[in-house]
Amino acid sequence: MKPSPDVLLPTALGNALRTGEITAGERYGLDTLISWPRIYMQLPPRMHRTLQSARDALDSAANLCWSFLASALLSGVSFYDEPRVLWIPAAMLVVAALAYKGAVVAAQSYSSLMRVAYDLHRFDLLDALHHRLPDKANEREVFEQVTDSLAGEWIADLPYRHGSLRKSAVCDADRAADSQ
């Protein structure tokens, strides 16, 4: 999936990350950049570990890309008068390109997992914020109000309640799955 032309970025890595930003929560009326830090804290341990692993892969690939680019530059400067070893900086550029491709793939995976997190745990966010669960007809409206509220706007008709049975059942199920 590619972002629309009005939010297109100059690099494939940026576009892969932007796709996750604009497709994860927005499908439900949540602004991903505003709601992600809050929903991330509501994720069960297994999902949290999966996302962290994907993020680590992304960070590692990006760091490898930069490291090989810097090494190609330094070796190119060091070997500029040695034509027989100019294959070294060229090889480092190829490896940097491969690492960049790996970073793009890792970013696409991370973006996909962000969408899964919203698909499965957006209601946990409502539960943690003490809001009633919406029905299908007004789900988008409720999540838009939550986004506005998280952005600092006062929403007078956003229902608020205390207590939760849903969260404890979800946590118990996750603990049982993690123990197996």
Side-chain angles (χ1 to χ4, degrees):
M1 177 177 251
K2 189 174 172 183
S4 63
D6 58 324
V7 294
L8 203 59
L9 296 173
T11 65
L13 180 58
N15 287 327
L17 291 170
R18 175 66 58 92
T19 298
E21 291 173 2
I22 61 177
T23 62
E26 276 74 0
R27 297 173 297 153
Y28 301 107
L30 285 164
D31 183 302
T32 305
L33 293 178
I34 292 173
S35 62
W36 179 247
R38 292 160 178 94
I39 202 169
Y40 186 76
M41 299 305 289
Q42 298 301 314
L43 296 176
R46 188 172 50 185
M47 183 71 182
H48 194 275
R49 284 190 305 269
T50 304
L51 273 160
Q52 189 61 48
S53 176
R55 180 59 193 250
D56 289 346
L58 169 59
D59 292 344
S60 296
N63 286 333
L64 275 173
C65 179
W66 282 113
S67 297
F68 280 109
L69 276 175
S71 297
L73 178 68
L74 289 173
S75 64
V77 169
S78 298
F79 301 141
Y80 77 95
D81 60 348
E82 295 290 333
R84 290 184 298 178
V85 291
L86 285 179
W87 64 270
I88 294 173
M92 289 185 187
L93 282 175
V94 168
V95 175
L98 291 172
Y100 182 78
K101 179 63 177 166
V104 171
V105 170
Q108 291 168 339
S109 174
Y110 185 73
S111 293
S112 177
L113 286 170
M114 285 177 69
R115 287 189 294 275
V116 169
Y118 276 90
D119 291 344
L120 300 178
H121 299 287
R122 66 189 183 279
F123 296 117
D124 295 341
L125 176 64
L126 288 178
D127 194 47
L129 295 172
H130 302 283
H131 299 302
R132 287 191 188 99
L133 296 180
D135 56 20
K136 185 69 174 165
N138 69 347
E139 178 180 352
R140 183 167 191 81
E141 177 186 344
V142 168
F143 282 125
E144 286 172 353
Q145 289 178 334
V146 167
T147 293
D148 292 343
S149 173
L150 294 175
E153 294 181 32
W154 171 251
I155 309 297
D157 61 343
L158 188 60
Y160 185 87
R161 65 168 173 75
H162 286 287
S164 170
L165 297 174
R166 186 176 186 282
K167 188 66 178 173
S168 61
V170 170
C171 288
D172 291 343
D174 285 332
R175 277 190 219 106
D178 284 343
S179 67
Q180 293 177 349

